[in-house]
mmCIF file with all atom_site columns, all heavy atoms in Angstrom:
data_model
loop_
_atom_site.group_PDB
_atom_site.id
_atom_site.type_symbol
_atom_site.label_atom_id
_atom_site.label_alt_id
_atom_site.label_comp_id
_atom_site.label_asym_id
_atom_site.label_entity_id
_atom_site.label_seq_id
_atom_site.pdbx_PDB_ins_code
_atom_site.Cartn_x
_atom_site.Cartn_y
_atom_site.Cartn_z
_atom_site.occupancy
_atom_site.B_iso_or_equiv
_atom_site.pdbx_formal_charge
_atom_site.auth_seq_id
_atom_site.auth_comp_id
_atom_site.auth_asym_id
_atom_site.auth_atom_id
_atom_site.pdbx_PDB_model_num
ATOM 1  N N   . ARG A 1 60 ? -59.439 52.166 36.958 1.00 0.00 ? 318 ARG A N   1
ATOM 2  C CA  . ARG A 1 60 ? -60.806 51.973 37.449 1.00 0.00 ? 318 ARG A CA  1
ATOM 3  C C   . ARG A 1 60 ? -60.904 52.042 38.976 1.00 0.00 ? 318 ARG A C   1
ATOM 4  O O   . ARG A 1 60 ? -61.985 51.842 39.535 1.00 0.00 ? 318 ARG A O   1
ATOM 5  C CB  . ARG A 1 60 ? -61.329 50.610 36.975 1.00 0.00 ? 318 ARG A CB  1
ATOM 6  C CG  . ARG A 1 60 ? -61.501 50.506 35.474 1.00 0.00 ? 318 ARG A CG  1
ATOM 7  C CD  . ARG A 1 60 ? -62.111 49.181 35.048 1.00 0.00 ? 318 ARG A CD  1
ATOM 8  N NE  . ARG A 1 60 ? -61.375 48.014 35.503 1.00 0.00 ? 318 ARG A NE  1
ATOM 9  C CZ  . ARG A 1 60 ? -60.354 47.457 34.851 1.00 0.00 ? 318 ARG A CZ  1
ATOM 10 N NH1 . ARG A 1 60 ? -59.940 47.971 33.723 1.00 0.00 ? 318 ARG A NH1 1
ATOM 11 N NH2 . ARG A 1 60 ? -59.757 46.382 35.331 1.00 0.00 ? 318 ARG A NH2 1
ATOM 12 N N   . ALA A 1 61 ? -59.802 52.318 39.634 1.00 0.00 ? 319 ALA A N   1
ATOM 13 C CA  . ALA A 1 61 ? -59.791 52.346 41.098 1.00 0.00 ? 319 ALA A CA  1
ATOM 14 C C   . ALA A 1 61 ? -60.585 53.545 41.622 1.00 0.00 ? 319 ALA A C   1
ATOM 15 O O   . ALA A 1 61 ? -60.653 54.600 40.982 1.00 0.00 ? 319 ALA A O   1
ATOM 16 C CB  . ALA A 1 61 ? -58.359 52.412 41.614 1.00 0.00 ? 319 ALA A CB  1
ATOM 17 N N   . GLU A 1 62 ? -61.171 53.349 42.758 1.00 0.00 ? 320 GLU A N   1
ATOM 18 C CA  . GLU A 1 62 ? -61.908 54.415 43.423 1.00 0.00 ? 320 GLU A CA  1
ATOM 19 C C   . GLU A 1 62 ? -60.936 55.286 44.213 1.00 0.00 ? 320 GLU A C   1
ATOM 20 O O   . GLU A 1 62 ? -59.948 54.790 44.743 1.00 0.00 ? 320 GLU A O   1
ATOM 21 C CB  . GLU A 1 62 ? -62.942 53.819 44.385 1.00 0.00 ? 320 GLU A CB  1
ATOM 22 C CG  . GLU A 1 62 ? -64.054 53.052 43.699 1.00 0.00 ? 320 GLU A CG  1
ATOM 23 C CD  . GLU A 1 62 ? -64.923 53.954 42.837 1.00 0.00 ? 320 GLU A CD  1
ATOM 24 O OE1 . GLU A 1 62 ? -65.203 55.091 43.254 1.00 0.00 ? 320 GLU A OE1 1
ATOM 25 O OE2 . GLU A 1 62 ? -65.312 53.510 41.740 1.00 0.00 ? 320 GLU A OE2 1
ATOM 26 N N   . PRO A 1 63 ? -61.226 56.575 44.303 1.00 0.00 ? 321 PRO A N   1
ATOM 27 C CA  . PRO A 1 63 ? -60.375 57.435 45.117 1.00 0.00 ? 321 PRO A CA  1
ATOM 28 C C   . PRO A 1 63 ? -60.322 56.931 46.561 1.00 0.00 ? 321 PRO A C   1
ATOM 29 O O   . PRO A 1 63 ? -61.333 56.544 47.130 1.00 0.00 ? 321 PRO A O   1
ATOM 30 C CB  . PRO A 1 63 ? -61.060 58.805 45.038 1.00 0.00 ? 321 PRO A CB  1
ATOM 31 C CG  . PRO A 1 63 ? -61.835 58.752 43.761 1.00 0.00 ? 321 PRO A CG  1
ATOM 32 C CD  . PRO A 1 63 ? -62.279 57.320 43.626 1.00 0.00 ? 321 PRO A CD  1
ATOM 33 N N   . SER A 1 64 ? -59.129 56.887 47.073 1.00 0.00 ? 322 SER A N   1
ATOM 34 C CA  . SER A 1 64 ? -58.915 56.411 48.436 1.00 0.00 ? 322 SER A CA  1
ATOM 35 C C   . SER A 1 64 ? -57.602 57.001 48.931 1.00 0.00 ? 322 SER A C   1
ATOM 36 O O   . SER A 1 64 ? -56.558 56.370 48.823 1.00 0.00 ? 322 SER A O   1
ATOM 37 C CB  . SER A 1 64 ? -58.874 54.877 48.446 1.00 0.00 ? 322 SER A CB  1
ATOM 38 O OG  . SER A 1 64 ? -58.654 54.400 49.729 1.00 0.00 ? 322 SER A OG  1
ATOM 39 N N   . PRO A 1 65 ? -57.656 58.228 49.473 1.00 0.00 ? 323 PRO A N   1
ATOM 40 C CA  . PRO A 1 65 ? -56.427 58.918 49.857 1.00 0.00 ? 323 PRO A CA  1
ATOM 41 C C   . PRO A 1 65 ? -55.508 58.115 50.779 1.00 0.00 ? 323 PRO A C   1
ATOM 42 O O   . PRO A 1 65 ? -54.294 58.300 50.758 1.00 0.00 ? 323 PRO A O   1
ATOM 43 C CB  . PRO A 1 65 ? -56.935 60.185 50.565 1.00 0.00 ? 323 PRO A CB  1
ATOM 44 C CG  . PRO A 1 65 ? -58.275 60.421 49.956 1.00 0.00 ? 323 PRO A CG  1
ATOM 45 C CD  . PRO A 1 65 ? -58.836 59.051 49.698 1.00 0.00 ? 323 PRO A CD  1
ATOM 46 N N   . GLU A 1 66 ? -56.065 57.191 51.553 1.00 0.00 ? 324 GLU A N   1
ATOM 47 C CA  . GLU A 1 66 ? -55.201 56.405 52.442 1.00 0.00 ? 324 GLU A CA  1
ATOM 48 C C   . GLU A 1 66 ? -54.356 55.385 51.667 1.00 0.00 ? 324 GLU A C   1
ATOM 49 O O   . GLU A 1 66 ? -53.405 54.825 52.206 1.00 0.00 ? 324 GLU A O   1
ATOM 50 C CB  . GLU A 1 66 ? -56.004 55.689 53.543 1.00 0.00 ? 324 GLU A CB  1
ATOM 51 C CG  . GLU A 1 66 ? -56.981 54.646 53.054 1.00 0.00 ? 324 GLU A CG  1
ATOM 52 C CD  . GLU A 1 66 ? -58.353 55.210 52.696 1.00 0.00 ? 324 GLU A CD  1
ATOM 53 O OE1 . GLU A 1 66 ? -58.559 56.435 52.752 1.00 0.00 ? 324 GLU A OE1 1
ATOM 54 O OE2 . GLU A 1 66 ? -59.218 54.400 52.343 1.00 0.00 ? 324 GLU A OE2 1
ATOM 55 N N   . HIS A 1 67 ? -54.671 55.170 50.385 1.00 0.00 ? 325 HIS A N   1
ATOM 56 C CA  . HIS A 1 67 ? -53.893 54.246 49.560 1.00 0.00 ? 325 HIS A CA  1
ATOM 57 C C   . HIS A 1 67 ? -52.808 54.931 48.736 1.00 0.00 ? 325 HIS A C   1
ATOM 58 O O   . HIS A 1 67 ? -52.061 54.257 48.029 1.00 0.00 ? 325 HIS A O   1
ATOM 59 C CB  . HIS A 1 67 ? -54.811 53.445 48.636 1.00 0.00 ? 325 HIS A CB  1
ATOM 60 C CG  . HIS A 1 67 ? -55.602 52.413 49.364 1.00 0.00 ? 325 HIS A CG  1
ATOM 61 N ND1 . HIS A 1 67 ? -56.973 52.417 49.379 1.00 0.00 ? 325 HIS A ND1 1
ATOM 62 C CD2 . HIS A 1 67 ? -55.213 51.360 50.121 1.00 0.00 ? 325 HIS A CD2 1
ATOM 63 C CE1 . HIS A 1 67 ? -57.397 51.408 50.112 1.00 0.00 ? 325 HIS A CE1 1
ATOM 64 N NE2 . HIS A 1 67 ? -56.350 50.750 50.573 1.00 0.00 ? 325 HIS A NE2 1
ATOM 65 N N   . VAL A 1 68 ? -52.725 56.260 48.815 1.00 0.00 ? 326 VAL A N   1
ATOM 66 C CA  . VAL A 1 68 ? -51.671 56.982 48.110 1.00 0.00 ? 326 VAL A CA  1
ATOM 67 C C   . VAL A 1 68 ? -50.325 56.511 48.670 1.00 0.00 ? 326 VAL A C   1
ATOM 68 O O   . VAL A 1 68 ? -50.133 56.426 49.873 1.00 0.00 ? 326 VAL A O   1
ATOM 69 C CB  . VAL A 1 68 ? -51.828 58.508 48.265 1.00 0.00 ? 326 VAL A CB  1
ATOM 70 C CG1 . VAL A 1 68 ? -50.618 59.243 47.696 1.00 0.00 ? 326 VAL A CG1 1
ATOM 71 C CG2 . VAL A 1 68 ? -53.103 58.978 47.580 1.00 0.00 ? 326 VAL A CG2 1
ATOM 72 N N   . GLY A 1 69 ? -49.418 56.180 47.790 1.00 0.00 ? 327 GLY A N   1
ATOM 73 C CA  . GLY A 1 69 ? -48.106 55.699 48.210 1.00 0.00 ? 327 GLY A CA  1
ATOM 74 C C   . GLY A 1 69 ? -48.062 54.207 48.486 1.00 0.00 ? 327 GLY A C   1
ATOM 75 O O   . GLY A 1 69 ? -47.013 53.672 48.831 1.00 0.00 ? 327 GLY A O   1
ATOM 76 N N   . LYS A 1 70 ? -49.187 53.529 48.327 1.00 0.00 ? 328 LYS A N   1
ATOM 77 C CA  . LYS A 1 70 ? -49.230 52.086 48.591 1.00 0.00 ? 328 LYS A CA  1
ATOM 78 C C   . LYS A 1 70 ? -49.475 51.295 47.311 1.00 0.00 ? 328 LYS A C   1
ATOM 79 O O   . LYS A 1 70 ? -49.929 50.156 47.359 1.00 0.00 ? 328 LYS A O   1
ATOM 80 C CB  . LYS A 1 70 ? -50.300 51.776 49.623 1.00 0.00 ? 328 LYS A CB  1
ATOM 81 C CG  . LYS A 1 70 ? -50.005 52.407 50.972 1.00 0.00 ? 328 LYS A CG  1
ATOM 82 C CD  . LYS A 1 70 ? -51.031 52.071 51.995 1.00 0.00 ? 328 LYS A CD  1
ATOM 83 C CE  . LYS A 1 70 ? -50.681 52.785 53.296 1.00 0.00 ? 328 LYS A CE  1
ATOM 84 N NZ  . LYS A 1 70 ? -51.705 52.624 54.295 1.00 0.00 ? 328 LYS A NZ  1
ATOM 85 N N   . GLY A 1 71 ? -49.155 51.894 46.186 1.00 0.00 ? 329 GLY A N   1
ATOM 86 C CA  . GLY A 1 71 ? -49.349 51.229 44.912 1.00 0.00 ? 329 GLY A CA  1
ATOM 87 C C   . GLY A 1 71 ? -48.467 50.007 44.742 1.00 0.00 ? 329 GLY A C   1
ATOM 88 O O   . GLY A 1 71 ? -48.799 49.090 44.006 1.00 0.00 ? 329 GLY A O   1
ATOM 89 N N   . HIS A 1 72 ? -47.333 49.985 45.475 1.00 0.00 ? 330 HIS A N   1
ATOM 90 C CA  . HIS A 1 72 ? -46.441 48.833 45.357 1.00 0.00 ? 330 HIS A CA  1
ATOM 91 C C   . HIS A 1 72 ? -47.133 47.541 45.786 1.00 0.00 ? 330 HIS A C   1
ATOM 92 O O   . HIS A 1 72 ? -46.865 46.474 45.251 1.00 0.00 ? 330 HIS A O   1
ATOM 93 C CB  . HIS A 1 72 ? -45.161 49.059 46.165 1.00 0.00 ? 330 HIS A CB  1
ATOM 94 C CG  . HIS A 1 72 ? -45.394 49.262 47.621 1.00 0.00 ? 330 HIS A CG  1
ATOM 95 N ND1 . HIS A 1 72 ? -45.819 50.466 48.140 1.00 0.00 ? 330 HIS A ND1 1
ATOM 96 C CD2 . HIS A 1 72 ? -45.282 48.409 48.664 1.00 0.00 ? 330 HIS A CD2 1
ATOM 97 C CE1 . HIS A 1 72 ? -45.955 50.340 49.449 1.00 0.00 ? 330 HIS A CE1 1
ATOM 98 N NE2 . HIS A 1 72 ? -45.646 49.111 49.797 1.00 0.00 ? 330 HIS A NE2 1
#
Side-chain angles (χ1 to χ4, degrees):
R318 294 184 304 273
E320 294 295 321
S322 179
E324 64 273 4
H325 287 120
V326 172
K328 296 182 182 174
H330 60 281

